[in-house]
């Protein structure tokens, strides 16, 4: 224990001697004075930097506060356009279609009219058929010499 | 008539208490005054340039002050500041290295401790002395240089330095001794103590 104490004391003595030597070479006070030349206005500069930082933060907050209402209004407008307006367009489109259908339903021909249309269609079909029949009859009535003549005339025409 | 006596904030606890209580301006002033020399000298040892060191010191203080409220006191303010400063310096040096690689920055590594302003001769002599001391310190390996500076100039205990540098007390003592031995030889080369 005593030897440990002695070695600590020796160490301290050694360091003291070393420090004295180095103190002669580099006097601490001279070193500190020269350092102070460089840092003399540091606290002022740091206060200024902190103030600037605070101002920036304040400016940013102000901008955010200004932007929030604008952003809210813009978002609401966008949502309004996206949902309400598109719904309105859809609704009007559906309305239009409904009206069209309703109109179609209301302008649906009556049974008489319908029958008339059907009859007309049938008549047209019949008409074609009649024409075809006419042609057949036409050829049926012909004798073979008439038919030959007709064919010859047609060939001559062509 | 009552007079208010403004006590100087000596200890770290006083500074922190005052800062947390809301009188930030006074706390900041004492905080900066107490550690400006310490932070600036570390920055100067790493960057070897007065302007860079001043910029880094200012940034370090601004960063430290901004997070002073959340400082938990697990380490001392000095240890905490040392780490912030060294990290800031290493970042700055990395940035410079990169710029130098792309040839954007000046390649000159000349030690620029303080740009001497026109003033009294004493000031000029101080500046010259200081510049030479730092040139001499720059010749030492980083660990020896930091051990010497923290022990001799900043008067930290070996235990505190051990916390900062992560080296055993015995190792630090050896580093300190070697640094002094080398400085005895180097300093006269820069005109210090040679006469």
């Amino acid at each position: 224990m005593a030897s440990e104490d002695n070695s600590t004391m020796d160490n301290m003595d050694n360091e003291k001697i070393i420090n004295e030597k180095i103190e002669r070479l580099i006097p601490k006070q001279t070193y500190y004075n020269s350092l102070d030349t460089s840092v003399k206005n540091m606290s002022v500069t740091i206060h200024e930097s902190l103030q600037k930082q605070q101002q920036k933060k304040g400016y940013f907050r102000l901008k955010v506060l200004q932007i929030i209402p604008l952003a809210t209004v813009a978002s609401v407008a966008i949502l309004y356009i996206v949902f309400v307006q598109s719904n309105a367009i859809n609704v009007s489109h559906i309305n239009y279609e409904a009206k069209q259908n309703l109109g179609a339903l209301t302008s649906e021909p009556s049974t008489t009219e319908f029958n008339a249309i059907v009859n007309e269609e049938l008549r047209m079909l019949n008409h074609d058929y009649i024409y075809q029949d006419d042609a057949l009859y036409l050829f049926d009535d012909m004798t073979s010499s008439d038919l030959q003549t007709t064919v010859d005339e047609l060939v001559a025409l062509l | 008539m009552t007079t208010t006596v403004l006590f100087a904030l000596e200890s770290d606890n006083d500074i922190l208490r005052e800062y947390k209580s809301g009188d930030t301006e006074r706390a900041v002033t004492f905080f900066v005054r107490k550690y400006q020399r310490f932070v600036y000298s570390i920055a100067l040892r790493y960057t070897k340039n007065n302007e860079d060191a001043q910029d880094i010191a200012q940034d370090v203080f601004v960063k430290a002050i901004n997070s002073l409220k959340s400082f938990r006191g697990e380490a001392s303010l000095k240890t905490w500041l040392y780490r912030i400063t060294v990290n800031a310096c290493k970042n700055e040096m990395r940035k410079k290295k990169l710029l130098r690689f792309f040839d954007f920055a000046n390649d000159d590594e000349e030690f620029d401790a303080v740009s001497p302003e026109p003033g009294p001769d004493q000031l000029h002599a101080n500046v010259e002395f200081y510049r030479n001391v730092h040139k001499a310190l720059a010749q030492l390996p980083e660990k020896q240089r930091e051990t010497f500076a923290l022990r001799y100039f900043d008067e930290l205990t070996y235990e505190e330095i051990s916390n900062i540098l992560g080296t055993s007390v015995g190792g630090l003592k050896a580093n300190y001794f070697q640094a002094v031995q080398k400085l005895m030889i180097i300093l006269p080369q820069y005109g210090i103590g040679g006469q």
Side-chain angles (χ1 to χ4, degrees):
Chain A
M1 189 71 182
S3 66
E4 262 183 35
D5 284 348
N6 280 341
S7 75
T8 316
M9 286 297 284
D10 284 350
N11 278 340
M12 283 170 70
D13 284 345
N14 280 342
E15 199 175 328
K16 208 177 168 189
I17 294 163
I18 290 171
N19 282 350
E20 277 170 5
K21 274 186 189 172
I22 206 81
E23 173 75 39
R24 257 177 267 140
L25 290 172
I26 316 171
K28 273 185 195 172
Q29 202 48 52
T30 318
Y31 178 79
Y32 293 151
N33 290 344
S34 49
L35 265 183
D36 289 342
T37 320
S38 302
V39 295
K40 62 182 173 191
N41 291 323
M42 192 165 282
S43 68
V44 179
T45 322
I46 286 160
H47 273 294
E48 282 171 1
S49 299
L50 289 169
Q51 267 177 355
K52 270 184 199 165
Q53 208 180 46
Q54 282 300 320
Q55 280 170 353
K56 260 189 197 169
K57 265 188 196 170
Y59 179 76
F60 180 71
R61 269 185 206 142
L62 188 75
K63 280 283 155 201
V64 167
L65 287 175
Q66 281 173 347
I67 287 165
I68 284 172
L70 283 175
T72 314
V73 169
S75 310
V76 169
I78 290 165
L79 288 174
Y80 176 80
I81 290 164
V82 168
F83 291 106
V84 181
Q85 282 297 320
S86 64
N87 269 354
I89 290 165
N90 280 343
V91 167
S92 67
H93 187 70
I94 289 162
N95 270 344
Y96 174 77
E97 278 188 351
K99 268 181 196 166
Q100 288 284 83
N101 291 339
L102 199 65
L105 281 170
T106 50
S107 64
E108 194 82 3
S110 65
T111 316
T112 334
E113 279 168 325
F114 179 75
N115 286 340
I117 291 164
V118 170
N119 287 335
E120 178 62 20
E121 286 293 315
L122 284 171
R123 195 186 66 77
M124 290 301 285
L125 279 171
N126 261 339
H127 193 253
D128 286 346
Y129 177 70
I130 288 161
Y131 272 113
Q132 280 176 14
D133 277 0
D134 283 351
L136 286 172
Y137 290 138
L138 183 72
F139 288 112
D140 274 357
D141 288 348
M142 282 185 173
T143 59
S144 57
S145 61
D146 289 341
L147 196 60
Q148 188 60 51
T149 316
T150 312
V151 170
D152 288 342
E153 279 172 1
L154 282 170
V155 169
L157 275 170
L158 288 169
Chain B
M1 198 177 96
T2 55
T3 51
T4 315
V5 182
L6 289 173
F7 293 104
L9 303 171
E10 294 286 344
S11 73
D12 290 353
N13 280 340
D14 289 342
I15 292 170
L16 286 169
R17 202 180 305 119
E18 183 111 351
Y19 188 82
K20 286 175 183 174
S21 73
D23 191 355
T24 54
E25 201 154 314
R26 205 168 90 95
V28 164
T29 306
F30 278 98
F31 176 60
V32 174
R33 277 190 197 156
K34 189 174 177 185
Y35 291 113
Q36 57 189 11
R37 220 190 248 169
F38 176 67
V39 170
Y40 172 76
S41 62
I42 300 164
L44 190 60
R45 286 200 299 271
Y46 274 91
T47 61
K48 304 186 184 94
N49 180 289
N50 173 52
E51 273 180 30
D52 288 347
Q54 280 187 337
D55 289 345
I56 286 172
Q58 281 170 25
D59 286 349
V60 166
F61 275 114
V62 170
K63 263 186 213 162
I65 289 160
N66 282 334
S67 38
L68 210 53
K69 262 195 180 138
S70 55
F71 179 73
R72 283 171 294 177
E74 283 164 3
S76 71
L77 274 180
K78 217 169 195 175
T79 312
W80 182 58
L81 276 174
Y82 182 86
R83 285 195 185 126
I84 301 176
T85 313
V86 170
N87 283 341
C89 290
K90 286 185 173 167
N91 283 341
E92 183 63 29
M93 283 155 72
R94 214 173 292 140
K95 228 185 278 171
K96 283 238 159 132
K97 220 179 210 176
L98 199 68
L99 287 174
R100 216 174 289 139
F101 177 75
F102 288 109
D103 210 16
F104 292 142
N106 195 351
D107 212 11
D108 193 10
E109 272 274 311
E110 181 65 24
F111 200 97
D112 175 26
V114 178
S115 35
E117 297 161 12
D121 286 349
Q122 185 56 43
L123 179 71
H124 188 73
N126 274 349
V127 166
E128 210 43 45
F129 166 78
Y130 169 72
R131 191 188 290 231
N132 287 332
V133 168
H134 274 269
K135 273 183 187 171
L137 281 176
Q139 304 292 311
L140 299 176
E142 188 181 334
K143 207 127 207 185
Q144 283 179 19
R145 187 191 68 214
E146 287 308 295
T147 309
F148 176 79
L150 292 171
R151 178 72 184 141
Y152 182 69
F153 294 126
D154 302 317
E155 295 176 344
L156 262 67
T157 63
Y158 280 118
E159 282 72 23
E160 284 175 310
I161 304 170
S162 172
N163 278 335
I164 291 173
L165 299 180
T167 311
S168 68
V169 172
L172 291 174
K173 282 182 181 171
N175 273 333
Y176 184 71
F177 182 73
Q178 281 165 358
V180 172
Q181 293 293 314
K182 284 183 187 169
L183 282 173
M184 295 286 195
I185 301 162
I186 298 167
L187 284 168
Q189 292 170 12
Y190 290 96
I192 299 170
Q195 295 88 347

